[in-house]
Amino acid sequence: MFNYILKRFKKIVFRILFLMFFLIFLFMTFLYLNYRLNNKYENPNDLYTYVKANKGKTYLNEKNKKYLEEKNIWSIRLDKDGKIIESFNKPKEIKNKFNITDVAKFTRFYLADYPVFTYIAGDGLILFAYPKDSLDKFPFNYYNYKDFIFNLQLFALFVLLFFVFVYIFYRIDIKNIFKNILPFQKAIDSLYENDYEGLDEYGELKDLAISINRANEKYNNLKKSQEKWIRGLSHDVRTPLAKISWEISKDNRENINLKNIQDQVLKISNILEGLNLTLSLSNIDRENFSKESPIKIIRKLIVDKLNENPKKEIIFDNRMKNQDIKIKMDPILFYRMLENILKNSLTYTNGKIMLIISDSNHMINITILDEGSGLDENIIEKIYKEDLTNIRRHGLGILISKQIAQLHEGKFIIKNKKPGLEISFIFAYHD
């Protein structure tokens, strides 16, 4: 468990670092592409080189003017006194003579908001002016080497501190994870032990603590229930065995009541059969179920029970609108589910027994209603909770029927009718 958490946390850290470097890479790529894609203006040095290489008697001859026109650049040439002696597309707001102060300003900054670049042309100067808001001019043309080294070292320090902090936070989080998870590890290891210590139900892992505590509580309840159930089964089996032993121990073999022995053997067989069926239901695969008609199974069940109990009155009330409806089931288990309830009614009531089947809204409802004394409400509550204590007689058969219904994804309802007991099974079906 700890190794899993550790691996997951490492993956999170590595992903964060990868994402950070990826974002840096994207940022640098963005800057580079932004520079390349927006560099639509000719480099001033390349511009000057071209003009100088193609000058004749004048710098701004027709060839160079055509070139400047294509680049959307205007130009002027000054003599040594600051007077314009050549020009191309000079704006009207630009004066015709400049003093040394003007030259210092536009050389370093702008000329009437135009970014201009100045080069020596003979004994004067030539200016190349780009459109307004096209290029930015920096007010310096140098960088201190010591400042560069210092900034580089500072950047390296920041990167180092970043990794140090990531490592520190990583160690702190790992320590906190181990601290918080260790009690859960111990609790899980001792979940089924008698010395289990309940977890404190607070903090960020409150829900997990509650789930583990509830699991231990359910286990203990199940353990106590099984112990009581086993003791009850032991008693139920011991009683018929004692009767069998008493019959067999008679000196006069002619006085042995074989019918009594057979009845006691049948009781033991029924007890063991119910126990085996309860234990095996959880291992049954629903994929092997087939679509069968519940009406067909109910009719067979009623015929079988009437043959066994000819003096009993079982009324079948078929209210199905569609007699051809089938549901996915295991026919043997489905038969057993209804048989358990019907057998209880036949055993514990002398009145009429109603077996009703109806359908509506893609649901089938099968109800068995008798006129007996019903069940103790405490037993009904235990059946709903699947508590095996004190329900090992007729309540055990009802519990098995409930489990079979759940296996078929059905709903089980039991209630006293005063007089009588009503048990319903509700199943969904598809056309």
Side-chain angles (χ1 to χ4, degrees), residues 203-306:
E204 296 179 351
L205 299 174
K206 175 182 176 181
D207 293 339
L208 181 57
I210 291 175
S211 298
I212 294 176
N213 286 338
R214 297 300 175 272
N216 177 260
E217 182 180 348
K218 288 182 179 180
Y219 168 75
N220 287 329
N221 291 337
L222 178 61
K223 186 177 179 182
K224 293 176 182 177
S225 176
Q226 287 177 336
E227 289 174 353
K228 292 180 180 178
W229 192 42
I230 290 172
R231 285 197 297 269
L233 288 173
S234 176
H235 175 270
D236 286 350
V237 172
R238 192 185 307 116
T239 300
L241 283 176
K243 291 181 179 180
I244 293 172
S245 177
W246 181 76
E247 290 287 346
I248 294 176
S249 64
K250 289 180 178 180
D251 294 333
N252 189 352
R253 297 293 177 180
E254 294 180 357
N255 294 331
I256 294 177
N257 189 341
L258 294 178
K259 179 67 169 60
N260 187 26
I261 292 176
Q262 290 174 351
D263 290 342
Q264 303 309 317
V265 170
L266 183 60
K267 285 183 180 180
I268 296 174
S269 176
N270 289 336
I271 292 171
L272 295 179
E273 183 184 2
L275 176 62
N276 290 331
L277 182 57
T278 301
L279 296 176
S280 65
L281 285 177
S282 60
N283 298 321
I284 295 176
D285 186 4
R286 293 191 71 256
E287 294 299 323
N288 296 324
F289 286 11
S290 59
K291 284 194 172 184
E292 303 287 345
S293 170
I295 297 177
K296 180 181 178 181
I297 293 176
I298 291 173
R299 283 175 174 159
K300 181 180 185 306
L301 173 63
I302 292 175
V303 170
D304 291 343
K305 294 308 162 189
L306 284 176

Side-chain angles (χ1 to χ4, degrees), residues 8-166:
R8 296 299 301 176
F9 193 80
K10 284 182 178 178
K11 286 183 179 180
I12 292 174
V13 173
F14 289 145
R15 286 170 182 167
I16 291 174
L17 295 178
F18 171 78
L19 181 61
M20 181 192 71
F21 286 115
F22 182 67
L23 290 176
I24 292 175
F25 172 77
L26 288 180
F27 178 71
M28 298 301 294
T29 303
F30 168 77
L31 291 179
Y32 174 75
L33 292 176
N34 187 64
Y35 168 77
R36 294 291 298 175
L37 294 175
N38 290 282
N39 190 25
K40 63 180 181 179
Y41 295 100
E42 189 76 13
N43 185 284
N45 292 333
D46 295 339
L47 192 68
Y48 170 70
T49 300
Y50 181 89
V51 171
K52 183 179 180 181
N54 292 282
K55 73 179 183 68
K57 294 182 180 179
T58 61
Y59 277 82
L60 300 178
N61 54 31
E62 291 303 320
K63 184 175 182 180
N64 284 338
K65 286 181 179 179
K66 183 177 180 181
Y67 176 73
L68 293 175
E69 181 76 27
E70 293 174 354
K71 303 300 180 182
N72 193 24
I73 293 171
W74 59 269
S75 175
I76 58 175
R77 182 177 167 221
L78 307 179
D79 62 14
K80 61 181 179 180
D81 296 322
K83 184 178 179 181
I84 295 178
I85 55 176
E86 285 187 78
S87 69
F88 172 70
N89 286 346
K90 179 180 77 70
K92 294 180 179 179
E93 67 266 27
I94 303 300
K95 56 186 180 181
N96 294 319
K97 191 173 187 311
F98 299 89
N99 56 40
I100 192 170
T101 304
D102 296 328
V103 173
K105 287 181 179 179
F106 66 66
T107 300
R108 187 167 185 179
F109 300 105
Y110 295 81
L111 175 58
D113 293 331
Y114 290 96
V116 295
F117 297 88
T118 308
Y119 295 90
I120 297 173
D123 58 352
L125 300 174
I126 186 169
L127 279 69
F128 300 107
Y130 288 74
K132 294 180 180 180
D133 301 321
S134 59
L135 301 177
D136 292 323
K137 293 187 67 178
F138 294 103
F140 56 85
N141 57 3
Y142 69 91
Y143 192 82
N144 189 298
Y145 176 75
K146 291 183 178 180
D147 287 344
F148 173 75
I149 296 298
F150 174 76
N151 290 332
L152 190 62
Q153 292 173 341
L154 190 63
F155 175 77
L157 177 62
F158 288 159
V159 172
L160 179 62
L161 288 175
F162 172 80
F163 285 109
V164 169
F165 284 134
V166 168

